[in-house]
């Protein structure tokens, strides 16, 4: 899409907006740097309007939807930035030493916020569900698929009941074969990824327990979830797949892994020894 100044566009069309659209526009203009990290549900709640009203606002702006609006917003915020920001506080003028410090702080901040968002009861419930499940399936698309595959790799060392399909068609088929004895762990930063939401819907219809790992407490994904585990990294629309977001997701998955290991210690320690021995010959 062409780079446009979203703020000039809003102001130029302001008089043509409905009263509801004006509420959305006013909030965006007053909170532009916060909106870039908000889900469509967060923005709708902040404006006291429905999600459909935010979507209509985007369509009135001749944008395909909310994600395209956020990309346009990110471009617009950078237009007035003389330091040519790449992401967050990182600039083209940074030295290697400055980059090292800023990236370290970003990652520490993401992990610390995730730690502060942890609900011990929800983590415990999630672990109980995974221990009791016949099968545990990890789902995600794009960057979140990489995280789901890492979770599969982690858990397969101590249990043979985990699965992770890498194709969206295979994922939806796997969800269609789930039952009330299974657990689906769905990973999506935004909670608005269409393929992941469709998997959650199908798995829910089959009675599976749904655990979501996401940034936002309110999103289309969490509406299907039984347990929501929140990660704390802020990721703008031009920073998709950021490592700080991935780290915060992996932190939660490692916590689930450690809890699962502790509650199934005898079985897990034997399986860990067996899987470790199986790859010894592959190493020099």
């Amino acid at each position: 899409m062409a780079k446009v100044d979203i703020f000039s566009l809003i102001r130029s069309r302001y008089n043509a907006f409905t009263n509801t659209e004006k509420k959305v526009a006013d909030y965006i203009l007053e909170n532009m740097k916060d909106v870039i990290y908000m889900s469509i549900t967060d923005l709708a709640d902040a404006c006291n309007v429905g999600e459909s009203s935010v979507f209509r606002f985007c369509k009135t702006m001749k944008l395909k939807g909310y994600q395209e609006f956020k990309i346009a917003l990110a471009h617009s915020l950078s237009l007035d930035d003389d330091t040519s920001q790449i992401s967050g506080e990182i600039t083209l003028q940074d030295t290697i030493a400055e980059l090292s410090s800023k990236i370290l702080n970003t990652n520490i901040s993401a992990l610390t916020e995730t730690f502060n968002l942890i609900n011990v009861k929800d983590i415990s419930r999630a672990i109980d569900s995974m221990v009791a499940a016949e099968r545990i399936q990890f789902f995600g698309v794009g960057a979140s698929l990489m995280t789901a595959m890492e979770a599969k790799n982690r858990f397969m060392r101590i249990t043979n009941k985990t699965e992770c399909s890498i194709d969206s068609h295979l994922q939806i088929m796997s969800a269609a074969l789930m039952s009330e004895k299974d657990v689906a762990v769905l990973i999506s930063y935004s909670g608005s990824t269409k393929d992941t939401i469709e998997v959650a819907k199908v798995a829910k219809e089959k009675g599976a327990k749904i655990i979501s790992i996401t940034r936002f407490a309110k999103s289309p994904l969490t509406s299907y979830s039984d347990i929501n585990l929140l990660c704390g990294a802020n990721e703008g629309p031009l920073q998709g797949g950021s490592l700080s977001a991935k780290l915060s997701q992996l932190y939660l998955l490692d916590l689930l892994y450690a809890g699962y290991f502790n509650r199934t210690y005898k079985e897990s320690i034997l399986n860990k020894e067996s899987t470790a021995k199986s790859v010894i010959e592959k190493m020099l």
Side-chain angles (χ1 to χ4, degrees), residues 179-223:
S179 74
E180 66 278 357
K181 297 178 182 179
D182 301 326
V183 166
V185 181
L186 294 108
I187 304 166
S188 171
Y189 177 87
S190 68
S192 302
T193 308
K194 289 182 179 179
D195 287 341
T196 304
I197 295 167
E198 187 62 26
V199 166
K201 181 180 179 181
V202 172
K204 188 74 170 179
E205 289 173 350
K206 295 298 181 178
K209 178 80 74 175
I210 310 293
I211 300 171
S212 65
I213 295 179
T214 185
R215 178 67 177 97
F216 304 105
K218 292 183 179 180
S219 69
L221 174 60
T222 58
S223 66

Side-chain angles (χ1 to χ4, degrees), residues 135 137 139 165 167-178 199 202 206:
R135 290 184 303 159
Q137 300 208 43
F139 296 100
S165 299
D167 179 84
S168 60
H169 290 192
L170 296 178
Q171 287 188 18
I172 200 71
M173 286 190 286
S174 295
L177 295 176
M178 298 189 82
V199 166
V202 172
K206 295 298 181 178

Side-chain angles (χ1 to χ4, degrees), residues 4-283:
V4 297
D5 183 353
I6 199 76
F7 309 118
S8 298
L9 200 57
I10 289 174
R11 295 185 181 103
S12 67
R13 299 185 179 182
Y14 190 84
N15 290 337
F17 289 156
T18 65
N19 289 336
T20 300
E21 289 171 342
K22 286 180 179 178
K23 291 175 68 174
V24 177
D26 290 341
Y27 187 89
I28 291 169
L29 292 173
E30 293 171 9
N31 304 276
M32 56 187 72
K33 290 186 177 179
D34 294 326
V35 172
I36 200 170
Y37 297 118
M38 297 173 75
S39 68
I40 188 171
T41 309
D42 289 337
L43 180 57
D45 286 349
C47 300
N48 198 27
V49 301
E51 291 180 28
S52 58
S53 297
V54 176
F55 183 76
R56 282 195 298 272
F57 167 81
C58 296
K59 299 295 285 186
T60 301
M61 297 282 289
K62 306 299 181 184
L63 300 170
K64 294 178 182 177
Y66 187 66
Q67 290 306 311
E68 186 172 10
F69 158 73
K70 287 181 69 175
I71 291 173
L73 176 60
H75 283 311
S76 299
L77 285 172
S78 68
L79 288 176
D80 297 325
D81 190 348
D82 294 331
T83 61
S84 302
Q85 290 190 341
I86 299 172
S87 62
E89 297 300 317
I90 295 175
T91 71
L92 292 177
Q93 284 70 42
D94 286 337
T95 64
I96 296 297
E98 289 170 335
L99 286 172
S100 301
S101 177
K102 288 181 177 181
I103 291 172
L104 174 64
N105 289 334
T106 297
N107 290 336
I108 290 174
S109 177
L111 291 171
T112 300
E113 187 176 354
T114 302
F115 172 79
N116 291 332
L117 287 168
I118 286 174
N119 182 309
V120 174
K121 290 183 178 178
D122 286 342
I123 292 289
S124 184
R125 286 172 55 217
I127 295 168
D128 285 341
S129 298
M130 295 172 78
V131 169
E134 284 191 357
R135 290 184 303 159
I136 303 167
Q137 300 208 43
F138 296 99
F139 296 100
V141 298
S144 293
L145 174 58
M146 301 299 103
T147 308
M149 291 172 64
E150 184 61 39
K152 157 71 174 177
N153 176 58
R154 190 85 166 106
F155 274 87
M156 74 179 295
R157 298 169 187 272
I158 61 172
T159 179
N160 64 354
K161 64 183 185 182
T162 59
E163 298 177 20
C164 178
S165 299
I166 63 174
D167 179 84
S168 60
H169 290 192
L170 296 178
Q171 287 188 18
I172 200 71
M173 286 190 286
S174 295
L177 295 176
M178 298 189 82
S179 74
E180 66 278 357
K181 297 178 182 179
D182 301 326
V183 166
V185 181
L186 294 108
I187 304 166
S188 171
Y189 177 87
S190 68
S192 302
T193 308
K194 289 182 179 179
D195 287 341
T196 304
I197 295 167
E198 187 62 26
V199 166
K201 181 180 179 181
V202 172
K204 188 74 170 179
E205 289 173 350
K206 295 298 181 178
K209 178 80 74 175
I210 310 293
I211 300 171
S212 65
I213 295 179
T214 185
R215 178 67 177 97
F216 304 105
K218 292 183 179 180
S219 69
L221 174 60
T222 58
S223 66
Y224 292 103
S225 301
D226 298 293
I227 302 170
N228 299 316
L229 306 180
L230 303 180
C231 60
N234 279 335
E235 180 181 277
L238 300 182
Q239 300 165 281
S242 71
L243 287 181
S244 59
K246 185 178 179 69
L247 281 173
S248 64
Q249 294 170 344
L250 289 173
Y251 172 40
L252 290 173
L253 287 163
D254 211 18
L255 180 55
L256 294 177
Y257 169 87
Y260 186 100
F261 190 101
N262 286 346
R263 296 188 193 183
T264 60
Y265 181 78
K266 290 184 179 180
E267 177 187 359
S268 290
I269 195 67
L270 289 174
N271 289 339
K272 189 173 185 181
E273 290 173 357
S274 295
T275 54
K277 288 177 182 177
S278 71
V279 296
I280 285 177
E281 293 183 3
K282 302 288 186 181
M283 302 178 184

